Amino acid sequence: MKNLVLFTLLFVFILGCSKPGKIAAPVTYAEAADPSADTLTDWSVVTPGLHASIGSVDYRYNKSLIPDLANTNVWNGFAWRNEKISAQLVLWNNQPAGVVECRFSDFKTEDGKTLPADIARAQFVRYVLTDEFGPGCGYRKPEDFIARISPDVLDTLSAFEMEPQSTRPVWITFDVPADAAPGSYTSTMQLMLDGKKHSDFAFTVEVADRTLPEASDWKFHLDLWQNPYAVARVHDVELWSAAHWDLLRPLMKLLADAGQKVITATLNNRPWGGQTEDAFGSMIAWNKQADGSWTYDYTIFDQWVQFMIDLGIKNQINCYSMVPWGNELYYHDVASDEEVKIVAKAGTKEFEELWTPFLKDFVKHVEQKGWKDITRIAMDERSPEEMQATMNLLAEVVPGMGVAFADNHHNYKIFPDQLTDLSVAFGAEIEPEILQYRKDHSYISTWYVCCADGFPNVFTFSEPAEAVFVGWYTMATGFDGFLRWAYNSWVKDPLTDSRFRTWPAGDTYIVYPDARSSIRFERLREGIQDAEKIRLLREEFQKNTSAEAQEKLKQLNELVARFNFTQKPADFNELMQEGKQTLENLSR
């Protein structure tokens, strides 16, 4: 059986690569075994053959459990033009069933309007090892936590072999074109088994007479920190080689298409120490000459920033960090041809002597590139004392330079105008008058979660709807957007095991190698789209003085206000569904 499985997977890989002109799909991989498979499930009650039904996008289906689903083959969704929406199909079988594929027909309305079949994409959901929240942050031994597998990876294979006595979700995305005519479009999806039709499913998308802007024009300020160094390590390619850039392109395009606004750049080596599997390197080479003068090589920095701008991520460049974790700074000593590490705490003479010449040179450089207005000196969770010394130096050497800061010490009260991009920890409210002051001055104010937050979060065991909640909470609290520290700081084997040595599983990344998306990431983008729709509807209703529009505005504001909570309610999923249904009704 093992040889048969390997042969079939090879066949599936070739099948996915055989279309003329198509770039070869990534080689498939074996999932980790389930360390806590349900052994009490009686699969013998499942009749022979492949079973399939529409499921819920809010539910993670256990691989070893028979799904509690009726055989539903009809699905209806609602979307604005230029919006992506999702459905989940669930497959299960007792005996080996063969190789499955999903084939969509064109989407058609009753009056003859058509959308192409390729607006739909079916992706087989792969299982990854996960654990539990436990104490949140802090070193953890795997044996001390529940280990299980969770469905999360959206694979790139066009077909998949069903294992016996197993469940396999299929994530289906509908990408509605910006120029689609309003109407209800239906497609027949054929579920194929070993090349023959197994069953039909009807998918209907009602397209509203409303349009979402392009993701690059969304107002929601999304800041997921990128780690290009992890990409080089996982794919075993030379850092900043042509192969590395080729791998980065689809991965970062996935991020751009979710509305990302910020480029994560590094000023010096290891700004967060070595806490991740891949410590960030410096994108700028610091060279101390024999006469004590400094030169700086911006080649990689410039390439990286321009690369991201070309993908549509162009609002901001956050440059980490003047106050690195451990206060360690690195430079190349030209005379000895060696790397030098120095500990320079903020406020010390060594700190000022290292940063003063750099800051002056750096500002000149970004001015020449035309990037000064979007460049921020960025720091993460530093103490008030460290921030005070750093801000004093910035004000003296490069006055007016914007600063981005993830703040868990209430530093924003000390530096009202220097922190042009402020992110506060979840649950930390900014006083209404300060938040309004920041809005009036076009400063960015966001919130963030990390390993300390059991809810809401995007761990590999988190409820999928928690990612959608991000957009709703942002609108309910008046923030401009959301920060999360890890887009792709991958662990050792990110495709099979999302656990990490110090934080809950999935904390370090939300997408997978080869630009594989995830259930978590798709739902996060969904919540951001909801936030954009709320914003646009508010603006429309506010401009319209009719009684009907004002009633809709009141209904919308009352609805959104219900999502300003920090403790997960017992009816969380029901509340999210109610919110989305009301938003849909207001969009008609």
Side-chain angles (χ1 to χ4, degrees):
M1 174 56 70
K2 182 178 179 181
N3 289 337
L4 175 61
V5 171
L6 291 175
F7 173 81
T8 305
L9 287 174
L10 179 61
F11 159 74
V12 169
F13 169 60
I14 294 172
L15 182 66
C17 302
S18 60
K19 295 181 181 179
K22 182 179 179 182
I23 297 174
V27 176
T28 190
Y29 64 94
E31 289 175 355
D34 189 347
S36 57
D38 188 287
T39 57
L40 300 179
T41 298
D42 183 9
W43 281 90
S44 67
V45 302
V46 177
T47 57
L50 177 66
H51 297 259
S53 179
I54 302 295
S56 168
V57 293
D58 291 331
Y59 192 76
R60 294 186 183 274
Y61 292 91
N62 191 306
K63 185 177 181 179
S64 63
L65 290 179
I66 303 168
D68 183 17
L69 291 171
N71 288 324
T72 304
N73 64 352
V74 175
W75 180 89
N76 295 281
F78 176 89
W80 288 24
R81 290 179 294 232
N82 212 31
E83 182 182 4
K84 293 181 180 180
I85 60 174
S86 302
Q88 190 164 211
L89 178 70
V90 185
L91 313 176
W92 69 98
N93 59 286
N94 182 15
Q95 301 299 324
V99 176
V100 292
E101 300 173 77
C102 299
R103 296 180 183 175
F104 285 87
S105 66
D106 286 346
F107 289 75
K108 298 181 179 180
T109 65
E110 290 184 354
D111 59 356
K113 294 191 286 285
T114 302
L115 293 174
D118 62 6
I119 71 164
R121 184 186 185 192
Q123 293 174 275
F124 295 94
V125 182
R126 306 296 297 275
Y127 290 81
V128 63
L129 280 166
T130 189
D131 54 19
E132 59 185 325
F133 182 70
C137 306
Y139 183 80
R140 50 178 58 201
K141 297 179 180 179
E143 59 269 24
D144 293 339
F145 297 87
I146 294 173
R148 56 192 186 278
I149 55 173
S150 176
D152 191 55
V153 189
L154 304 189
D155 211 349
T156 52
L157 298 171
S158 60
F160 201 87
E161 183 190 27
M162 287 293 296
E163 302 170 46
Q165 298 188 353
S166 69
T167 293
R168 178 67 53 183
V170 183
W171 197 263
I172 301 174
T173 304
F174 304 92
D175 191 352
V176 180
D179 60 355
S184 291
Y185 295 81
T186 298
S187 169
T188 298
M189 189 207 80
Q190 292 185 342
L191 183 64
M192 309 297 293
L193 180 61
D194 288 335
K196 299 178 181 179
K197 188 176 80 168
H198 173 272
S199 53
D200 288 338
F201 289 79
F203 287 90
T204 298
V205 179
E206 180 186 346
V207 179
D209 190 13
R210 294 182 179 277
T211 307
L212 273 179
E214 292 299 316
S216 59
D217 296 324
W218 293 349
K219 302 300 183 184
F220 191 100
H221 191 86
L222 179 64
D223 184 6
L224 305 182
W225 298 355
Q226 312 99 52
N227 187 342
Y229 303 92
V231 177
R233 188 262 305 172
V234 166
H235 291 281
D236 193 24
V237 297
E238 182 182 349
L239 188 66
W240 310 122
S241 64
H244 187 205
W245 289 111
D246 287 344
L247 288 161
L248 286 167
R249 188 167 290 104
L251 184 72
M252 298 307 161
K253 181 63 166 60
L254 186 67
L255 180 59
D257 289 345
Q260 173 75 8
K261 296 294 183 283
V262 184
I263 303 166
T264 306
T266 52
L267 300 177
N268 202 274
N269 201 25
R270 301 167 67 88
W272 293 280
Q275 64 171 348
T276 54
E277 191 68 29
D278 304 280
F280 290 66
S282 178
M283 293 180 179
I284 301 168
W286 295 43
N287 299 296
K288 188 173 186 180
Q289 305 300 321
D291 62 359
S293 62
W294 291 91
T295 59
Y296 308 96
D297 186 343
Y298 299 99
T299 302
I300 297 302
F301 176 85
D302 291 350
Q303 290 177 352
W304 171 247
V305 170
Q306 191 60 57
F307 172 81
M308 297 294 276
I309 289 175
D310 291 345
L311 289 175
I313 303 173
K314 57 188 178 182
N315 286 42
Q316 201 164 300
I317 312 165
N318 282 7
C319 304
Y320 294 90
S321 166
M322 280 185 66
V323 192
W325 292 25
N327 298 303
E328 295 176 354
L329 296 170
Y330 298 79
Y331 64 87
H332 176 242
D333 185 84
V334 175
S336 63
D337 194 24
E338 293 179 346
E339 182 183 61
V340 176
K341 179 179 74 174
I342 184 172
V343 175
K345 295 182 179 180
T348 63
K349 180 181 178 182
E350 293 83 1
F351 182 84
E352 295 180 0
E353 288 178 344
L354 280 167
W355 282 108
T356 297
F358 172 81
L359 289 169
K360 291 179 178 180
D361 194 82
F362 179 66
V363 169
K364 288 181 182 178
H365 181 77
V366 292
E367 281 179 334
Q368 292 169 356
K369 300 294 293 186
W371 297 337
K372 183 177 184 294
D373 290 344
I374 63 171
T375 299
R376 305 287 181 269
I377 301 298
M379 283 157 283
D380 177 28
E381 296 186 338
R382 301 296 83 194
S383 70
E385 295 77 20
E386 291 172 309
M387 288 299 295
Q388 185 70 69
T390 305
M391 291 298 200
N392 289 344
L393 183 63
L394 284 168
E396 177 186 343
V397 178
V398 284
M401 189 70 190
V403 175
F405 184 49
D407 187 3
N408 63 346
H409 288 88
H410 300 288
N411 283 283
Y412 67 86
K413 297 180 180 179
I414 309 173
F415 314 106
D417 291 299
Q418 283 179 282
L419 297 178
T420 55
D421 178 2
L422 167 70
S423 192
V424 296
F426 175 63
E429 295 183 0
I430 300 179
E431 292 81 350
E433 62 275 13
I434 294 180
L435 191 60
Q436 187 59 51
Y437 177 87
R438 295 185 59 79
K439 288 182 181 295
D440 292 343
H441 289 76
S442 299
Y443 300 154
I444 296 295
S445 306
T446 67
W447 62 286
Y448 70 93
V449 294
C450 61
C451 57
D453 300 293
F455 168 86
N457 224 310
V458 287
F459 303 125
T460 43
F461 53 79
S462 297
E463 283 196 69
E466 291 183 28
V468 185
F469 174 75
V470 166
W472 288 78
Y473 178 79
T474 300
M475 299 307 291
T477 52
F479 285 112
D480 299 311
F482 174 71
L483 176 153
R484 206 176 192 299
W485 77 271
Y487 176 62
N488 70 305
S489 278
W490 291 326
V491 293
K492 285 185 179 180
D493 191 2
L495 283 169
T496 60
D497 191 346
S498 66
R499 296 172 298 176
F500 192 60
R501 57 183 173 262
T502 47
W503 307 305
D507 185 53
T508 71
Y509 63 108
I510 194 171
V511 293
Y512 294 84
D514 289 308
R516 292 174 172 93
S517 187
S518 68
I519 289 177
R520 299 173 288 155
F521 188 68
E522 294 300 305
R523 300 306 305 277
L524 177 64
R525 185 182 62 199
E526 178 185 326
I528 294 169
Q529 290 177 153
D530 287 348
E532 286 296 300
K533 290 191 283 187
I534 291 168
R535 176 183 64 82
L536 291 168
L537 288 173
R538 270 180 175 164
E539 291 175 357
E540 176 185 320
F541 298 153
Q542 286 169 348
K543 292 176 183 177
N544 189 333
T545 58
S546 70
E548 180 184 4
Q550 291 305 299
E551 177 58 33
K552 288 182 176 180
L553 177 61
K554 179 175 179 289
Q555 185 180 357
L556 178 61
N557 287 337
E558 288 177 350
L559 169 71
V560 174
R562 294 172 62 190
F563 290 85
N564 186 1
F565 54 81
T566 57
Q567 298 296 319
K568 188 175 186 178
D571 61 345
F572 173 71
N573 281 318
E574 290 78 8
L575 178 61
M576 292 300 307
Q577 291 167 6
E578 179 187 346
K580 292 183 71 66
Q581 183 61 57
T582 304
L583 185 60
E584 176 182 323
N585 295 339
L586 290 170
S587 299
R588 295 184 187 280

